[in-house]
Amino acid sequence: MEKIKPKIYKKKGPIVEVFLRLAKNKTAILGLIIVAILIIAALAAPFIFDYDDVIIKQNISNRLQSPSKDNWFGTDDLGRDIFARIVYGSRISLRVSFTAVAIALLIGGFLGAIGGYYGGMLDNIIMRFMDVFLAIPGTLFAITIAAALGNNIRNLIIALSISSIPGFARILRSSVITVRDVEFIEAARAIGANDARIILNHVIPNSLAPVIVHTTLNVATIILTIAGLSFLGLGIAPPAPEWGSMLSSGRTYLIGHSYITAFPGFAIMITILALNLLGDGLRDALDPRLK
Amino acid sequence: MWKYILKRLLYLIPVLFGVTLLVFLIMSVAPGDPAKVILGEQATPEAIEQLRVELGLDDPVLVQYMRYATGLLKGDMGMSYKSKDPVAVEIVARIPTTLKLTLSATLIAVLVAIPLGIFAAVKQNTLFDGLSMFIALLGISIPIFWLGLMLLVLFSQRLGWFPSSGAASWKSFILPGVALGFHSMASIARITRSSMLEVIRQDYIRTARSKGMPYRDVITKHALPNALIPTITVTGLQIGALMAGSVLTETVFSLPGIGRLIINSIQGRDIPVVLGCILVFTIGFSVVNLLVDLLYAYVDPRIKAQYT
């Protein structure tokens, strides 16, 4: 008699499961691919284009050229290739936004986690403090800080992360509160785990889903804010190829040379679109109940 | 109900003092001496020193703040460093422009978003649904200032339908309203659709349909009121975003509103005006949030019952 081989269902890890669910969502994958291309472009840009020679060197004889075979997106008022500047610009947008989000996640997450876990007085103080931050419309707050500190990349990162902290604090707090009193936390406490261990090993991993989604969407918001600030002349100053400031420099040439303004705008739009698609997809993949 | 409103308004007071203290501290660590910025590069050190004493800038920051806060309690927002006019006068003169801009953006957003969201949900997975959600996705991805510039190129410079700057007539607010409102429209449409989708699968909707009620009435009378709460929440949050966005929109369309004022004042280190503008935006935002909470009670009798 032939032996029946039992089929073994191997339980896949949570990350694999989430990814498999994400992979079924076509628009989310599209978003993921675009984000991946952007990251690769940002990493590869210095090897393709020379910063001093191509990105910022003025070439007046070649100024205001419409899009062509040599200059795919045309050239700006100082004769620089817009395509090269947009590709290089992804470095700035991604670096600044990732750094700012990471800082906001750490500080805001820490405040939210301890507030939600301990509750009481500490929670009250933290959240009243956050109320003050949340009372000012977000972008406006970033504008004020950036303008007050003066425009360089470091100050911009400070401004963006401060204005994102309350959002992260709130999200982490509310999800920590929902898992704080469940049985496995009590079990961990019963076997003598200390608070730091419980928070880091048990509470946070179980409240990550909303944080991941918020992080993705927050990167999108921050990239939009960077562009907005630079557009107002408060973000990253020229000649650095930042999308918002490139867009702003084309304002004088709107009639006849609107492509100078149009292409950086498309770059911002596609980036934000991709991050939003990915964020929505992650939300569905991380929490199938919501679907 | 009134007790609740009063409690909320009283809670606003410490928040506002927190906000002003925060902005005060930020502006005080900022590089750039206001006296120097006002008098320009050529000013003598004596003249700068004199102006610093005149404006009270030589006092410690907390003393300056206490002075500002006591003034604020008496309803005095201080004087502009630059124009020497009371801050309140400068701001009040600009409120109508910003209010008109925000209102037109909100109207455009809500009037387009809610029907779009409802139709997309009712006709889920059709071409209409896909198309409107694609537009909504574009909406949340387009930078406000870029959309504004593109609208300017097309409708004001190419076609000449609308003025490109100024706040002379109602026509001046159409393009800025669309540019500013498009983003909010997208967010509101998305949340309306998903909340409608949840509601139309409920048992009471099936009951309403099976008793022979016209589908139209089922949607407007049974489904819509139950789906509105998330829509109201998002709309309230969006109005905060609209206020911040008005800074960008007013810059693009050269509208003389509070957004323009705040940018000019920040650059000129005119601290009292910056504080005043942020205060006005914060009060506006908080009042909208309060209205949103009250609107919940109006839409949902269960919430109303909690207040009494």
Side-chain angles (χ1 to χ4, degrees):
Chain A
M1 209 176 92
E2 206 180 318
K3 217 173 160 187
I4 299 166
K5 211 174 167 188
K7 203 173 177 186
I8 298 167
Y9 288 95
K10 201 177 159 204
K11 181 139 175 43
K12 300 174 193 102
I15 296 172
V16 179
E17 279 199 14
V18 165
F19 186 77
L20 287 178
R21 275 203 294 269
L22 190 68
K24 281 187 203 138
N25 186 338
K26 273 183 223 141
T27 52
I29 288 299
L30 179 68
L32 188 65
I33 290 172
I34 297 175
V35 172
I37 291 174
L38 271 166
I39 294 175
I40 293 169
L43 292 174
F47 302 108
I48 308 172
F49 305 110
D50 186 72
Y51 187 73
D52 294 320
D53 219 36
V54 180
I55 305 298
I56 56 173
K57 193 176 155 201
Q58 302 181 5
N59 182 4
I60 300 300
S61 62
N62 200 30
R63 73 194 291 260
L64 300 176
Q65 298 293 314
S66 296
S68 66
K69 202 164 89 263
D70 295 328
N71 305 103
W72 292 356
F73 292 174
T75 62
D76 64 8
D77 53 325
L78 297 170
R80 298 169 300 199
D81 182 56
I82 294 177
F83 176 72
R85 283 174 67 77
I86 286 181
V87 172
Y88 217 98
S90 63
R91 284 177 77 76
I92 300 177
S93 296
L94 293 186
R95 202 177 97 205
V96 174
S97 58
F98 285 177
T99 319
V101 168
I103 295 172
L105 175 63
L106 279 179
I107 300 177
F110 174 76
L111 291 174
I114 60 167
Y117 185 75
Y118 291 109
M121 192 63 175
L122 181 71
D123 182 35
N124 233 321
I125 294 173
I126 294 175
M127 288 333 279
R128 290 299 81 76
F129 202 65
M130 291 298 138
D131 276 353
V132 171
F133 281 78
L134 285 168
I136 311 174
T139 318
L140 194 66
F141 195 37
I143 289 174
T144 317
I145 307 174
L149 297 180
N151 50 350
N152 64 46
I153 289 195
R154 199 199 63 198
N155 292 340
L156 184 65
I157 291 175
I158 294 177
L160 294 167
S161 38
I162 292 181
S163 59
S164 300
I165 285 175
F168 280 105
R170 269 196 153 177
I171 298 253
L172 219 79
R173 175 178 178 270
S174 56
S175 51
V176 164
I177 285 178
T178 54
V179 297
R180 183 181 58 191
D181 296 322
V182 293
E183 281 94 350
F184 65 84
I185 302 290
E186 264 175 54
R189 203 172 287 142
I191 59 169
N194 63 18
D195 282 351
R197 191 191 163 86
I198 294 178
I199 294 179
L200 285 176
N201 286 358
H202 299 291
V203 175
I204 290 182
N206 279 290
S207 47
L208 269 188
V211 175
I212 292 174
V213 175
H214 185 74
T215 307
T216 316
L217 298 177
N218 199 244
V219 171
T221 315
I222 284 190
I223 290 179
L224 266 184
T225 314
I226 299 170
L229 285 171
S230 303
F231 177 76
L232 291 170
L234 301 171
I236 291 161
E242 201 283 327
W243 294 339
S245 78
M246 288 171 68
L247 201 159
S248 174
S249 73
R251 284 174 70 189
T252 338
Y253 306 96
L254 271 182
I255 310 166
H257 302 283
S258 48
Y259 58 87
I260 303 178
T261 308
F263 285 117
F266 281 127
I268 300 171
M269 197 165 91
I270 290 168
T271 309
I272 309 299
L273 191 73
L275 285 163
N276 277 313
L277 290 175
L278 183 60
D280 285 353
L282 279 172
R283 182 187 337 233
D284 296 340
L286 285 165
D287 194 350
R289 279 167 304 172
L290 290 178
K291 200 79 203 263
Chain B
M1 190 74 157
W2 287 108
K3 226 169 123 189
Y4 174 77
I5 297 177
L6 194 68
K7 217 170 102 188
R8 285 284 299 264
L9 288 176
L10 286 177
Y11 181 63
L12 191 56
I13 296 170
V15 169
L16 287 180
F17 278 99
V19 167
T20 49
L21 180 61
L22 193 66
V23 177
F24 218 90
L25 291 176
I26 293 169
M27 295 297 286
S28 69
V29 299
D33 181 2
K36 227 180 247 169
V37 177
I38 295 162
L39 292 175
E41 291 292 323
Q42 268 84 43
T44 58
E46 291 81 43
I48 290 175
E49 200 46 48
Q50 199 194 335
L51 188 66
R52 282 178 62 86
V53 175
E54 215 174 283
L55 298 175
L57 291 168
D58 50 343
D59 292 328
V61 180
L62 281 180
V63 175
Q64 289 184 43
Y65 179 69
M66 285 313 288
R67 192 164 47 221
Y68 180 79
T70 27
L72 205 59
L73 280 176
K74 293 180 211 144
D76 178 14
M77 298 168 88
M79 299 275 197
S80 159
Y81 289 168
K82 204 161 134 204
S83 67
K84 305 274 185 279
D85 288 328
V87 172
V89 173
E90 293 227 354
I91 290 179
V92 168
R94 288 175 170 84
I95 283 183
T97 307
T98 303
L99 208 60
K100 278 185 218 162
L101 172 63
T102 324
L103 265 177
S104 59
T106 312
L107 274 181
I108 290 169
V110 171
L111 291 182
V112 177
I114 293 183
L116 201 67
I118 296 172
F119 276 114
V122 171
K123 308 213 176 296
Q124 195 196 0
N125 296 333
T126 60
L127 186 66
F128 179 83
D129 181 28
L131 205 65
S132 47
M133 283 308 110
F134 179 70
I135 292 172
L137 208 54
L138 276 187
I140 57 171
S141 309
I142 291 183
I144 296 172
F145 48 95
W146 185 72
L147 179 62
L149 287 173
M150 293 296 123
L151 290 174
L152 267 183
V153 171
L154 187 61
F155 290 104
S156 133
Q157 277 156 358
R158 292 267 162 83
L159 299 169
W161 291 352
F162 298 100
S164 66
S165 65
S169 69
W170 62 270
K171 261 185 151 179
S172 314
F173 289 94
I174 303 276
L175 288 185
V178 172
L180 182 57
F182 196 56
H183 187 274
S184 306
M185 183 279 286
S187 303
I188 300 170
R190 277 160 58 103
I191 196 77
T192 307
R193 173 179 178 270
S194 63
S195 143
M196 271 304 269
L197 278 179
E198 211 158 280
V199 168
I200 51 181
R201 294 191 185 130
Q202 300 290 327
D203 289 343
Y204 58 82
I205 299 297
R206 196 186 315 133
T207 310
R209 291 200 67 182
S210 55
K211 76 183 179 190
M213 195 174 187
Y215 192 53
R216 218 193 136 87
D217 289 355
V218 175
I219 292 297
T220 54
K221 289 191 182 134
H222 289 274
L224 187 58
N226 284 296
L228 270 183
I229 292 259
T231 306
I232 293 171
T233 313
V234 169
T235 308
L237 287 174
Q238 283 303 319
I239 291 178
L242 286 179
M243 288 179 185
S246 70
V247 177
L248 288 162
T249 319
E250 285 172 13
T251 306
V252 171
F253 291 93
S254 322
L255 292 170
I258 302 180
R260 252 343 268 152
L261 182 65
I262 197 170
I263 291 297
N264 292 338
S265 312
I266 288 174
Q267 280 156 353
R269 294 264 165 263
D270 200 341
I271 298 169
V273 181
V274 176
L275 280 167
C277 292
I278 292 191
L279 216 55
V280 169
F281 274 126
T282 308
I283 293 173
F285 189 36
S286 306
V287 169
V288 168
N289 281 337
L290 177 60
L291 288 178
V292 163
D293 283 355
L294 295 178
L295 211 56
Y296 286 161
Y298 179 76
V299 179
D300 191 338
R302 283 168 304 184
I303 297 176
K304 194 175 185 177
Q306 289 172 8
Y307 290 144
T308 44

